[in-house]
Amino acid sequence: MNTDETTLAALASASTFLFVPANRPERYAKALASGAGAVIIDLEDAIAPVDKQAARQTLVQAVNGLDALQRRRLVVRINAAGTPWHADDLAALRDQGMGAVMVSKAESAATLAQVASVMGPACALLPLIESVAGLDAVDALAACSQVLRLVFGHLDFQADAGLACGPDESELVPVRLALVLASRRAALAAPVDGISPGTQDTTQLALDAARSRRGGFGGKLCIHPAQVAPVKAAFAPSAAELDWARRVQSAFEQAGGGVFSLDGRMVDAPVMRLAQRTLALSQA
């Protein structure tokens, strides 16, 4: 893959992706300064059909005024294939040097290949799984060239599947696991979970983010700057986890490898890998 390595590293390790409507360019810089790992400029749900063309033009003009470091943290969510706006989105973005695009309602490898062909090899793809058809094709989507991470659009998925989820969304556990496993099979970075719609409900946000991390996700979509810090904290190792990981690493080095005991519990290769992953997360 020829995609810029700095862009790849930033997007692959980001735990927070903050949405900004494409027609609100005054919010771009604020979003980039929010602490979010990446900012998603949205041409899809945030923009009414009559405003699509103007929003697209606004995006291109505003992005041209950003420096290279800022542009590396941008993702543009384009309209889905089959909509009247998909081709125009790609035509407007193809020469803008975008680091990544999020492909709405991704359901086929052919669509991703077409997006990659238009955007060029230096553009990473983030397929948004929002339907049963997308879930059925998840392994094929994950295996496509230039795909960096899968993203779960759980609200659209619920609507498409006819689900009525409770607050803990236990009904979606198999779907989330499918995205995590598909990502692992394709050697992708951990997937990104969907939004928490209550911008003032910090308790539910914390529960949602903790569930995402426990379930193997590496990040979460945010719809308000106030959500960024709590989500980032939820995905970062706690002080206790870091202390444990450092002590495991130290004991491993002293033992010279192999199986050993720490705090009365056996530490073997899988536990050591967990400790190393925890330390890597803290560095990211």
Side-chain angles (χ1 to χ4, degrees), residues 22 41-49 51-53 55-56 76-90 93 101-106 111 114-115 128 130:
I41 302 179
D42 191 14
L43 285 169
E44 196 213 14
D45 286 348
I47 307 299
D51 296 326
K52 297 283 189 184
Q53 181 176 354
R56 198 181 295 119
V76 177
R77 179 163 75 165
I78 61 174
N79 289 277
T83 67
W85 314 287
H86 177 76
D88 288 340
D89 286 350
L90 292 178
L93 296 174
V101 295
M102 180 176 289
V103 184
S104 303
K105 297 176 178 61
T111 294
Q114 186 257 345
V115 172
L128 190 55
E130 301 182 89

PDB file of all heavy atoms in Angstrom, residues 22 41-49 51-53 55-56 76-90 93 101-106 111 114-115 128 130:
ATOM      1  N   ALA A  22     -20.071  19.076   6.893  1.00  0.00           N
ATOM      2  CA  ALA A  22     -19.219  19.678   5.865  1.00  0.00           C
ATOM      3  C   ALA A  22     -19.568  21.138   5.607  1.00  0.00           C
ATOM      4  O   ALA A  22     -18.707  21.914   5.172  1.00  0.00           O
ATOM      5  CB  ALA A  22     -19.332  18.879   4.570  1.00  0.00           C
ATOM      6  N   ILE A  41     -15.299  14.882   8.391  1.00  0.00           N
ATOM      7  CA  ILE A  41     -16.122  15.903   7.744  1.00  0.00           C
ATOM      8  C   ILE A  41     -17.228  15.170   6.982  1.00  0.00           C
ATOM      9  O   ILE A  41     -16.952  14.377   6.086  1.00  0.00           O
ATOM     10  CB  ILE A  41     -15.282  16.773   6.801  1.00  0.00           C
ATOM     11  CG1 ILE A  41     -14.141  17.445   7.578  1.00  0.00           C
ATOM     12  CG2 ILE A  41     -16.151  17.828   6.137  1.00  0.00           C
ATOM     13  CD1 ILE A  41     -13.248  18.311   6.729  1.00  0.00           C
ATOM     14  N   ASP A  42     -18.451  15.459   7.356  1.00  0.00           N
ATOM     15  CA  ASP A  42     -19.579  14.644   6.915  1.00  0.00           C
ATOM     16  C   ASP A  42     -20.328  15.262   5.740  1.00  0.00           C
ATOM     17  O   ASP A  42     -20.878  16.356   5.843  1.00  0.00           O
ATOM     18  CB  ASP A  42     -20.540  14.443   8.099  1.00  0.00           C
ATOM     19  CG  ASP A  42     -21.599  13.396   7.814  1.00  0.00           C
ATOM     20  OD1 ASP A  42     -21.441  12.642   6.824  1.00  0.00           O
ATOM     21  OD2 ASP A  42     -22.569  13.325   8.577  1.00  0.00           O
ATOM     22  N   LEU A  43     -20.343  14.533   4.631  1.00  0.00           N
ATOM     23  CA  LEU A  43     -21.136  14.911   3.472  1.00  0.00           C
ATOM     24  C   LEU A  43     -22.444  14.136   3.404  1.00  0.00           C
ATOM     25  O   LEU A  43     -23.263  14.388   2.516  1.00  0.00           O
ATOM     26  CB  LEU A  43     -20.346  14.652   2.184  1.00  0.00           C
ATOM     27  CG  LEU A  43     -19.225  15.632   1.842  1.00  0.00           C
ATOM     28  CD1 LEU A  43     -18.380  15.090   0.699  1.00  0.00           C
ATOM     29  CD2 LEU A  43     -19.793  17.003   1.496  1.00  0.00           C
ATOM     30  N   GLU A  44     -22.647  13.209   4.347  1.00  0.00           N
ATOM     31  CA  GLU A  44     -23.811  12.329   4.244  1.00  0.00           C
ATOM     32  C   GLU A  44     -24.958  12.798   5.133  1.00  0.00           C
ATOM     33  O   GLU A  44     -25.659  13.751   4.834  1.00  0.00           O
ATOM     34  CB  GLU A  44     -23.409  10.885   4.568  1.00  0.00           C
ATOM     35  CG  GLU A  44     -24.465   9.883   4.107  1.00  0.00           C
ATOM     36  CD  GLU A  44     -24.558   8.660   5.008  1.00  0.00           C
ATOM     37  OE1 GLU A  44     -24.023   8.659   6.116  1.00  0.00           O
ATOM     38  OE2 GLU A  44     -25.212   7.694   4.576  1.00  0.00           O
ATOM     39  N   ASP A  45     -25.171  12.139   6.272  1.00  0.00           N
ATOM     40  CA  ASP A  45     -26.371  12.369   7.074  1.00  0.00           C
ATOM     41  C   ASP A  45     -26.512  13.799   7.577  1.00  0.00           C
ATOM     42  O   ASP A  45     -27.632  14.284   7.786  1.00  0.00           O
ATOM     43  CB  ASP A  45     -26.394  11.416   8.276  1.00  0.00           C
ATOM     44  CG  ASP A  45     -26.743   9.996   7.884  1.00  0.00           C
ATOM     45  OD1 ASP A  45     -27.187   9.796   6.734  1.00  0.00           O
ATOM     46  OD2 ASP A  45     -26.568   9.093   8.713  1.00  0.00           O
ATOM     47  N   ALA A  46     -25.396  14.486   7.802  1.00  0.00           N
ATOM     48  CA  ALA A  46     -25.464  15.837   8.363  1.00  0.00           C
ATOM     49  C   ALA A  46     -25.920  16.875   7.345  1.00  0.00           C
ATOM     50  O   ALA A  46     -26.225  18.014   7.723  1.00  0.00           O
ATOM     51  CB  ALA A  46     -24.100  16.236   8.925  1.00  0.00           C
ATOM     52  N   ILE A  47     -25.989  16.506   6.070  1.00  0.00           N
ATOM     53  CA  ILE A  47     -26.274  17.476   5.015  1.00  0.00           C
ATOM     54  C   ILE A  47     -27.581  17.117   4.299  1.00  0.00           C
ATOM     55  O   ILE A  47     -27.736  16.003   3.801  1.00  0.00           O
ATOM     56  CB  ILE A  47     -25.133  17.518   3.982  1.00  0.00           C
ATOM     57  CG1 ILE A  47     -23.778  17.736   4.681  1.00  0.00           C
ATOM     58  CG2 ILE A  47     -25.396  18.607   2.943  1.00  0.00           C
ATOM     59  CD1 ILE A  47     -23.680  19.027   5.447  1.00  0.00           C
ATOM     60  N   ALA A  48     -28.500  18.077   4.263  1.00  0.00           N
ATOM     61  CA  ALA A  48     -29.757  17.871   3.553  1.00  0.00           C
ATOM     62  C   ALA A  48     -29.498  17.741   2.053  1.00  0.00           C
ATOM     63  O   ALA A  48     -28.534  18.315   1.526  1.00  0.00           O
ATOM     64  CB  ALA A  48     -30.700  19.045   3.816  1.00  0.00           C
ATOM     65  N   PRO A  49     -30.352  16.986   1.348  1.00  0.00           N
ATOM     66  CA  PRO A  49     -30.131  16.788  -0.096  1.00  0.00           C
ATOM     67  C   PRO A  49     -29.955  18.090  -0.878  1.00  0.00           C
ATOM     68  O   PRO A  49     -29.096  18.162  -1.759  1.00  0.00           O
ATOM     69  CB  PRO A  49     -31.402  16.043  -0.533  1.00  0.00           C
ATOM     70  CG  PRO A  49     -31.785  15.252   0.687  1.00  0.00           C
ATOM     71  CD  PRO A  49     -31.471  16.158   1.850  1.00  0.00           C
ATOM     72  N   ASP A  51     -28.622  20.714   0.021  1.00  0.00           N
ATOM     73  CA  ASP A  51     -27.391  21.410   0.389  1.00  0.00           C
ATOM     74  C   ASP A  51     -26.124  20.628   0.029  1.00  0.00           C
ATOM     75  O   ASP A  51     -25.014  21.075   0.336  1.00  0.00           O
ATOM     76  CB  ASP A  51     -27.380  21.691   1.897  1.00  0.00           C
ATOM     77  CG  ASP A  51     -28.493  22.629   2.326  1.00  0.00           C
ATOM     78  OD1 ASP A  51     -28.840  23.523   1.534  1.00  0.00           O
ATOM     79  OD2 ASP A  51     -29.028  22.449   3.442  1.00  0.00           O
ATOM     80  N   LYS A  52     -26.268  19.486  -0.592  1.00  0.00           N
ATOM     81  CA  LYS A  52     -25.112  18.619  -0.846  1.00  0.00           C
ATOM     82  C   LYS A  52     -24.045  19.306  -1.700  1.00  0.00           C
ATOM     83  O   LYS A  52     -22.854  19.278  -1.372  1.00  0.00           O
ATOM     84  CB  LYS A  52     -25.553  17.326  -1.538  1.00  0.00           C
ATOM     85  CG  LYS A  52     -26.496  16.441  -0.749  1.00  0.00           C
ATOM     86  CD  LYS A  52     -25.790  15.656   0.321  1.00  0.00           C
ATOM     87  CE  LYS A  52     -26.736  14.632   0.930  1.00  0.00           C
ATOM     88  NZ  LYS A  52     -26.126  13.874   2.055  1.00  0.00           N
ATOM     89  N   GLN A  53     -24.461  19.920  -2.800  1.00  0.00           N
ATOM     90  CA  GLN A  53     -23.481  20.514  -3.711  1.00  0.00           C
ATOM     91  C   GLN A  53     -22.730  21.650  -3.033  1.00  0.00           C
ATOM     92  O   GLN A  53     -21.490  21.737  -3.111  1.00  0.00           O
ATOM     93  CB  GLN A  53     -24.165  21.020  -4.980  1.00  0.00           C
ATOM     94  CG  GLN A  53     -23.179  21.634  -5.977  1.00  0.00           C
ATOM     95  CD  GLN A  53     -23.864  22.055  -7.279  1.00  0.00           C
ATOM     96  OE1 GLN A  53     -25.046  21.790  -7.475  1.00  0.00           O
ATOM     97  NE2 GLN A  53     -23.118  22.701  -8.157  1.00  0.00           N
ATOM     98  N   ALA A  55     -22.272  22.129   0.168  1.00  0.00           N
ATOM     99  CA  ALA A  55     -21.430  21.588   1.239  1.00  0.00           C
ATOM    100  C   ALA A  55     -20.149  21.005   0.675  1.00  0.00           C
ATOM    101  O   ALA A  55     -19.065  21.158   1.254  1.00  0.00           O
ATOM    102  CB  ALA A  55     -22.199  20.524   2.019  1.00  0.00           C
ATOM    103  N   ARG A  56     -20.254  20.362  -0.461  1.00  0.00           N
ATOM    104  CA  ARG A  56     -19.089  19.770  -1.117  1.00  0.00           C
ATOM    105  C   ARG A  56     -18.091  20.856  -1.513  1.00  0.00           C
ATOM    106  O   ARG A  56     -16.884  20.731  -1.292  1.00  0.00           O
ATOM    107  CB  ARG A  56     -19.557  18.986  -2.345  1.00  0.00           C
ATOM    108  CG  ARG A  56     -18.586  17.983  -2.881  1.00  0.00           C
ATOM    109  CD  ARG A  56     -19.166  17.301  -4.108  1.00  0.00           C
ATOM    110  NE  ARG A  56     -20.340  16.500  -3.800  1.00  0.00           N
ATOM    111  CZ  ARG A  56     -21.563  16.706  -4.302  1.00  0.00           C
ATOM    112  NH1 ARG A  56     -21.775  17.713  -5.141  1.00  0.00           N
ATOM    113  NH2 ARG A  56     -22.565  15.915  -3.960  1.00  0.00           N
ATOM    114  N   VAL A  76     -13.187  12.103   5.294  1.00  0.00           N
ATOM    115  CA  VAL A  76     -14.427  12.624   4.719  1.00  0.00           C
ATOM    116  C   VAL A  76     -15.406  11.471   4.558  1.00  0.00           C
ATOM    117  O   VAL A  76     -15.086  10.461   3.928  1.00  0.00           O
ATOM    118  CB  VAL A  76     -14.185  13.303   3.358  1.00  0.00           C
ATOM    119  CG1 VAL A  76     -15.514  13.776   2.754  1.00  0.00           C
ATOM    120  CG2 VAL A  76     -13.241  14.485   3.503  1.00  0.00           C
ATOM    121  N   ARG A  77     -16.595  11.618   5.162  1.00  0.00           N
ATOM    122  CA  ARG A  77     -17.627  10.603   4.945  1.00  0.00           C
ATOM    123  C   ARG A  77     -18.414  10.972   3.698  1.00  0.00           C
ATOM    124  O   ARG A  77     -19.056  12.021   3.646  1.00  0.00           O
ATOM    125  CB  ARG A  77     -18.574  10.488   6.138  1.00  0.00           C
ATOM    126  CG  ARG A  77     -19.658   9.439   5.881  1.00  0.00           C
ATOM    127  CD  ARG A  77     -20.375   8.978   7.122  1.00  0.00           C
ATOM    128  NE  ARG A  77     -21.319   9.965   7.632  1.00  0.00           N
ATOM    129  CZ  ARG A  77     -22.261   9.667   8.543  1.00  0.00           C
ATOM    130  NH1 ARG A  77     -22.357   8.432   9.029  1.00  0.00           N
ATOM    131  NH2 ARG A  77     -23.070  10.607   8.982  1.00  0.00           N
ATOM    132  N   ILE A  78     -18.343  10.104   2.713  1.00  0.00           N
ATOM    133  CA  ILE A  78     -19.030  10.346   1.447  1.00  0.00           C
ATOM    134  C   ILE A  78     -20.379   9.641   1.437  1.00  0.00           C
ATOM    135  O   ILE A  78     -20.639   8.727   2.222  1.00  0.00           O
ATOM    136  CB  ILE A  78     -18.172   9.876   0.255  1.00  0.00           C
ATOM    137  CG1 ILE A  78     -17.893   8.373   0.344  1.00  0.00           C
ATOM    138  CG2 ILE A  78     -16.871  10.664   0.180  1.00  0.00           C
ATOM    139  CD1 ILE A  78     -17.176   7.802  -0.877  1.00  0.00           C
ATOM    140  N   ASN A  79     -21.225  10.088   0.540  1.00  0.00           N
ATOM    141  CA  ASN A  79     -22.534   9.467   0.388  1.00  0.00           C
ATOM    142  C   ASN A  79     -22.403   8.074  -0.229  1.00  0.00           C
ATOM    143  O   ASN A  79     -21.452   7.784  -0.966  1.00  0.00           O
ATOM    144  CB  ASN A  79     -23.436  10.350  -0.476  1.00  0.00           C
ATOM    145  CG  ASN A  79     -23.859  11.611   0.248  1.00  0.00           C
ATOM    146  OD1 ASN A  79     -24.801  11.597   1.023  1.00  0.00           O
ATOM    147  ND2 ASN A  79     -23.149  12.718   0.008  1.00  0.00           N
ATOM    148  N   ALA A  80     -23.360   7.236   0.083  1.00  0.00           N
ATOM    149  CA  ALA A  80     -23.295   5.825  -0.308  1.00  0.00           C
ATOM    150  C   ALA A  80     -23.407   5.646  -1.813  1.00  0.00           C
ATOM    151  O   ALA A  80     -24.038   6.453  -2.518  1.00  0.00           O
ATOM    152  CB  ALA A  80     -24.412   5.047   0.393  1.00  0.00           C
ATOM    153  N   ALA A  81     -22.803   4.575  -2.295  1.00  0.00           N
ATOM    154  CA  ALA A  81     -22.974   4.196  -3.694  1.00  0.00           C
ATOM    155  C   ALA A  81     -24.455   3.961  -3.964  1.00  0.00           C
ATOM    156  O   ALA A  81     -25.177   3.416  -3.131  1.00  0.00           O
ATOM    157  CB  ALA A  81     -22.173   2.937  -3.990  1.00  0.00           C
ATOM    158  N   GLY A  82     -24.904   4.385  -5.142  1.00  0.00           N
ATOM    159  CA  GLY A  82     -26.315   4.242  -5.476  1.00  0.00           C
ATOM    160  C   GLY A  82     -27.133   5.481  -5.175  1.00  0.00           C
ATOM    161  O   GLY A  82     -28.284   5.585  -5.618  1.00  0.00           O
ATOM    162  N   THR A  83     -26.562   6.425  -4.427  1.00  0.00           N
ATOM    163  CA  THR A  83     -27.251   7.696  -4.190  1.00  0.00           C
ATOM    164  C   THR A  83     -26.881   8.681  -5.297  1.00  0.00           C
ATOM    165  O   THR A  83     -25.857   8.512  -5.979  1.00  0.00           O
ATOM    166  CB  THR A  83     -26.868   8.295  -2.823  1.00  0.00           C
ATOM    167  OG1 THR A  83     -25.487   8.686  -2.848  1.00  0.00           O
ATOM    168  CG2 THR A  83     -27.098   7.289  -1.705  1.00  0.00           C
ATOM    169  N   PRO A  84     -27.650   9.737  -5.469  1.00  0.00           N
ATOM    170  CA  PRO A  84     -27.344  10.708  -6.538  1.00  0.00           C
ATOM    171  C   PRO A  84     -26.077  11.515  -6.281  1.00  0.00           C
ATOM    172  O   PRO A  84     -25.638  12.248  -7.179  1.00  0.00           O
ATOM    173  CB  PRO A  84     -28.579  11.630  -6.527  1.00  0.00           C
ATOM    174  CG  PRO A  84     -29.649  10.880  -5.814  1.00  0.00           C
ATOM    175  CD  PRO A  84     -28.938  10.022  -4.814  1.00  0.00           C
ATOM    176  N   TRP A  85     -25.493  11.406  -5.071  1.00  0.00           N
ATOM    177  CA  TRP A  85     -24.385  12.289  -4.702  1.00  0.00           C
ATOM    178  C   TRP A  85     -23.029  11.576  -4.641  1.00  0.00           C
ATOM    179  O   TRP A  85     -22.005  12.220  -4.496  1.00  0.00           O
ATOM    180  CB  TRP A  85     -24.676  12.928  -3.331  1.00  0.00           C
ATOM    181  CG  TRP A  85     -26.080  13.443  -3.258  1.00  0.00           C
ATOM    182  CD1 TRP A  85     -26.587  14.559  -3.874  1.00  0.00           C
ATOM    183  CD2 TRP A  85     -27.168  12.845  -2.555  1.00  0.00           C
ATOM    184  NE1 TRP A  85     -27.922  14.695  -3.602  1.00  0.00           N
ATOM    185  CE2 TRP A  85     -28.309  13.655  -2.782  1.00  0.00           C
ATOM    186  CE3 TRP A  85     -27.297  11.701  -1.747  1.00  0.00           C
ATOM    187  CZ2 TRP A  85     -29.558  13.348  -2.234  1.00  0.00           C
ATOM    188  CZ3 TRP A  85     -28.537  11.398  -1.201  1.00  0.00           C
ATOM    189  CH2 TRP A  85     -29.655  12.217  -1.449  1.00  0.00           C
ATOM    190  N   HIS A  86     -23.044  10.283  -4.744  1.00  0.00           N
ATOM    191  CA  HIS A  86     -21.818   9.495  -4.548  1.00  0.00           C
ATOM    192  C   HIS A  86     -20.734   9.868  -5.563  1.00  0.00           C
ATOM    193  O   HIS A  86     -19.594  10.180  -5.186  1.00  0.00           O
ATOM    194  CB  HIS A  86     -22.144   8.002  -4.650  1.00  0.00           C
ATOM    195  CG  HIS A  86     -20.968   7.101  -4.529  1.00  0.00           C
ATOM    196  ND1 HIS A  86     -20.347   6.823  -3.331  1.00  0.00           N
ATOM    197  CD2 HIS A  86     -20.279   6.391  -5.470  1.00  0.00           C
ATOM    198  CE1 HIS A  86     -19.350   5.991  -3.528  1.00  0.00           C
ATOM    199  NE2 HIS A  86     -19.278   5.723  -4.817  1.00  0.00           N
ATOM    200  N   ALA A  87     -21.077   9.839  -6.833  1.00  0.00           N
ATOM    201  CA  ALA A  87     -20.087  10.118  -7.883  1.00  0.00           C
ATOM    202  C   ALA A  87     -19.569  11.549  -7.787  1.00  0.00           C
ATOM    203  O   ALA A  87     -18.365  11.798  -7.991  1.00  0.00           O
ATOM    204  CB  ALA A  87     -20.697   9.859  -9.258  1.00  0.00           C
ATOM    205  N   ASP A  88     -20.442  12.497  -7.467  1.00  0.00           N
ATOM    206  CA  ASP A  88     -20.012  13.888  -7.350  1.00  0.00           C
ATOM    207  C   ASP A  88     -19.075  14.081  -6.155  1.00  0.00           C
ATOM    208  O   ASP A  88     -18.135  14.881  -6.213  1.00  0.00           O
ATOM    209  CB  ASP A  88     -21.225  14.803  -7.208  1.00  0.00           C
ATOM    210  CG  ASP A  88     -22.012  14.928  -8.505  1.00  0.00           C
ATOM    211  OD1 ASP A  88     -21.442  14.641  -9.579  1.00  0.00           O
ATOM    212  OD2 ASP A  88     -23.196  15.304  -8.444  1.00  0.00           O
ATOM    213  N   ASP A  89     -19.335  13.358  -5.068  1.00  0.00           N
ATOM    214  CA  ASP A  89     -18.429  13.415  -3.917  1.00  0.00           C
ATOM    215  C   ASP A  89     -17.026  12.986  -4.334  1.00  0.00           C
ATOM    216  O   ASP A  89     -16.029  13.656  -4.026  1.00  0.00           O
ATOM    217  CB  ASP A  89     -18.918  12.496  -2.792  1.00  0.00           C
ATOM    218  CG  ASP A  89     -20.131  13.041  -2.059  1.00  0.00           C
ATOM    219  OD1 ASP A  89     -20.502  14.205  -2.283  1.00  0.00           O
ATOM    220  OD2 ASP A  89     -20.718  12.283  -1.261  1.00  0.00           O
ATOM    221  N   LEU A  90     -16.938  11.862  -5.019  1.00  0.00           N
ATOM    222  CA  LEU A  90     -15.634  11.347  -5.435  1.00  0.00           C
ATOM    223  C   LEU A  90     -14.950  12.290  -6.416  1.00  0.00           C
ATOM    224  O   LEU A  90     -13.737  12.528  -6.318  1.00  0.00           O
ATOM    225  CB  LEU A  90     -15.799   9.962  -6.070  1.00  0.00           C
ATOM    226  CG  LEU A  90     -16.218   8.833  -5.125  1.00  0.00           C
ATOM    227  CD1 LEU A  90     -16.400   7.532  -5.904  1.00  0.00           C
ATOM    228  CD2 LEU A  90     -15.198   8.641  -4.015  1.00  0.00           C
ATOM    229  N   LEU A  93     -13.416  15.186  -4.564  1.00  0.00           N
ATOM    230  CA  LEU A  93     -12.347  14.869  -3.622  1.00  0.00           C
ATOM    231  C   LEU A  93     -11.106  14.260  -4.274  1.00  0.00           C
ATOM    232  O   LEU A  93     -10.039  14.242  -3.661  1.00  0.00           O
ATOM    233  CB  LEU A  93     -12.863  13.887  -2.558  1.00  0.00           C
ATOM    234  CG  LEU A  93     -13.973  14.397  -1.642  1.00  0.00           C
ATOM    235  CD1 LEU A  93     -14.480  13.269  -0.762  1.00  0.00           C
ATOM    236  CD2 LEU A  93     -13.481  15.548  -0.784  1.00  0.00           C
ATOM    237  N   VAL A 101     -11.164   8.344   3.321  1.00  0.00           N
ATOM    238  CA  VAL A 101     -12.606   8.547   3.169  1.00  0.00           C
ATOM    239  C   VAL A 101     -13.329   7.428   3.900  1.00  0.00           C
ATOM    240  O   VAL A 101     -12.862   6.290   3.954  1.00  0.00           O
ATOM    241  CB  VAL A 101     -13.057   8.588   1.693  1.00  0.00           C
ATOM    242  CG1 VAL A 101     -12.484   9.789   0.978  1.00  0.00           C
ATOM    243  CG2 VAL A 101     -12.700   7.293   0.968  1.00  0.00           C
ATOM    244  N   MET A 102     -14.476   7.793   4.487  1.00  0.00           N
ATOM    245  CA  MET A 102     -15.355   6.817   5.108  1.00  0.00           C
ATOM    246  C   MET A 102     -16.478   6.534   4.113  1.00  0.00           C
ATOM    247  O   MET A 102     -17.172   7.455   3.669  1.00  0.00           O
ATOM    248  CB  MET A 102     -15.918   7.357   6.425  1.00  0.00           C
ATOM    249  CG  MET A 102     -16.859   6.403   7.135  1.00  0.00           C
ATOM    250  SD  MET A 102     -17.401   7.050   8.746  1.00  0.00           S
ATOM    251  CE  MET A 102     -15.867   6.903   9.670  1.00  0.00           C
ATOM    252  N   VAL A 103     -16.631   5.263   3.767  1.00  0.00           N
ATOM    253  CA  VAL A 103     -17.593   4.873   2.739  1.00  0.00           C
ATOM    254  C   VAL A 103     -18.895   4.448   3.411  1.00  0.00           C
ATOM    255  O   VAL A 103     -18.969   3.392   4.042  1.00  0.00           O
ATOM    256  CB  VAL A 103     -17.033   3.732   1.872  1.00  0.00           C
ATOM    257  CG1 VAL A 103     -18.012   3.401   0.744  1.00  0.00           C
ATOM    258  CG2 VAL A 103     -15.671   4.117   1.299  1.00  0.00           C
ATOM    259  N   SER A 104     -19.918   5.274   3.289  1.00  0.00           N
ATOM    260  CA  SER A 104     -21.208   4.994   3.924  1.00  0.00           C
ATOM    261  C   SER A 104     -21.851   3.735   3.349  1.00  0.00           C
ATOM    262  O   SER A 104     -21.714   3.436   2.165  1.00  0.00           O
ATOM    263  CB  SER A 104     -22.160   6.177   3.718  1.00  0.00           C
ATOM    264  OG  SER A 104     -21.605   7.361   4.226  1.00  0.00           O
ATOM    265  N   LYS A 105     -22.542   3.013   4.229  1.00  0.00           N
ATOM    266  CA  LYS A 105     -23.327   1.844   3.825  1.00  0.00           C
ATOM    267  C   LYS A 105     -22.538   0.920   2.899  1.00  0.00           C
ATOM    268  O   LYS A 105     -23.042   0.476   1.848  1.00  0.00           O
ATOM    269  CB  LYS A 105     -24.646   2.281   3.197  1.00  0.00           C
ATOM    270  CG  LYS A 105     -25.526   3.036   4.188  1.00  0.00           C
ATOM    271  CD  LYS A 105     -26.795   3.565   3.559  1.00  0.00           C
ATOM    272  CE  LYS A 105     -27.657   4.268   4.601  1.00  0.00           C
ATOM    273  NZ  LYS A 105     -26.983   5.445   5.229  1.00  0.00           N
ATOM    274  N   ALA A 106     -21.320   0.617   3.302  1.00  0.00           N
ATOM    275  CA  ALA A 106     -20.476  -0.281   2.504  1.00  0.00           C
ATOM    276  C   ALA A 106     -21.067  -1.680   2.497  1.00  0.00           C
ATOM    277  O   ALA A 106     -21.355  -2.242   3.559  1.00  0.00           O
ATOM    278  CB  ALA A 106     -19.063  -0.308   3.080  1.00  0.00           C
ATOM    279  N   THR A 111     -17.633  -1.803  -4.756  1.00  0.00           N
ATOM    280  CA  THR A 111     -17.772  -0.379  -4.451  1.00  0.00           C
ATOM    281  C   THR A 111     -16.485   0.175  -3.866  1.00  0.00           C
ATOM    282  O   THR A 111     -16.023   1.254  -4.251  1.00  0.00           O
ATOM    283  CB  THR A 111     -18.922  -0.153  -3.459  1.00  0.00           C
ATOM    284  OG1 THR A 111     -20.158  -0.498  -4.089  1.00  0.00           O
ATOM    285  CG2 THR A 111     -18.967   1.291  -2.991  1.00  0.00           C
ATOM    286  N   GLN A 114     -13.909   0.606  -6.502  1.00  0.00           N
ATOM    287  CA  GLN A 114     -14.178   1.772  -7.350  1.00  0.00           C
ATOM    288  C   GLN A 114     -13.774   3.063  -6.643  1.00  0.00           C
ATOM    289  O   GLN A 114     -13.179   3.962  -7.248  1.00  0.00           O
ATOM    290  CB  GLN A 114     -15.664   1.793  -7.709  1.00  0.00           C
ATOM    291  CG  GLN A 114     -16.050   2.878  -8.702  1.00  0.00           C
ATOM    292  CD  GLN A 114     -16.740   4.065  -8.035  1.00  0.00           C
ATOM    293  OE1 GLN A 114     -17.178   3.985  -6.894  1.00  0.00           O
ATOM    294  NE2 GLN A 114     -16.815   5.173  -8.759  1.00  0.00           N
ATOM    295  N   VAL A 115     -14.063   3.160  -5.339  1.00  0.00           N
ATOM    296  CA  VAL A 115     -13.666   4.343  -4.570  1.00  0.00           C
ATOM    297  C   VAL A 115     -12.151   4.458  -4.533  1.00  0.00           C
ATOM    298  O   VAL A 115     -11.585   5.536  -4.736  1.00  0.00           O
ATOM    299  CB  VAL A 115     -14.242   4.277  -3.141  1.00  0.00           C
ATOM    300  CG1 VAL A 115     -13.667   5.404  -2.279  1.00  0.00           C
ATOM    301  CG2 VAL A 115     -15.765   4.363  -3.171  1.00  0.00           C
ATOM    302  N   LEU A 128     -18.070   1.761   6.358  1.00  0.00           N
ATOM    303  CA  LEU A 128     -19.045   1.884   7.432  1.00  0.00           C
ATOM    304  C   LEU A 128     -20.079   0.770   7.272  1.00  0.00           C
ATOM    305  O   LEU A 128     -20.844   0.751   6.299  1.00  0.00           O
ATOM    306  CB  LEU A 128     -19.705   3.259   7.369  1.00  0.00           C
ATOM    307  CG  LEU A 128     -20.590   3.716   8.514  1.00  0.00           C
ATOM    308  CD1 LEU A 128     -19.862   3.645   9.849  1.00  0.00           C
ATOM    309  CD2 LEU A 128     -21.086   5.135   8.261  1.00  0.00           C
ATOM    310  N   GLU A 130     -23.376  -0.735   8.031  1.00  0.00           N
ATOM    311  CA  GLU A 130     -24.638  -0.188   8.527  1.00  0.00           C
ATOM    312  C   GLU A 130     -25.842  -1.038   8.164  1.00  0.00           C
ATOM    313  O   GLU A 130     -26.986  -0.622   8.410  1.00  0.00           O
ATOM    314  CB  GLU A 130     -24.841   1.214   7.952  1.00  0.00           C
ATOM    315  CG  GLU A 130     -23.752   2.208   8.278  1.00  0.00           C
ATOM    316  CD  GLU A 130     -24.040   3.579   7.717  1.00  0.00           C
ATOM    317  OE1 GLU A 130     -24.697   4.374   8.407  1.00  0.00           O
ATOM    318  OE2 GLU A 130     -23.611   3.847   6.567  1.00  0.00           O
TER     319      GLU A 130
END
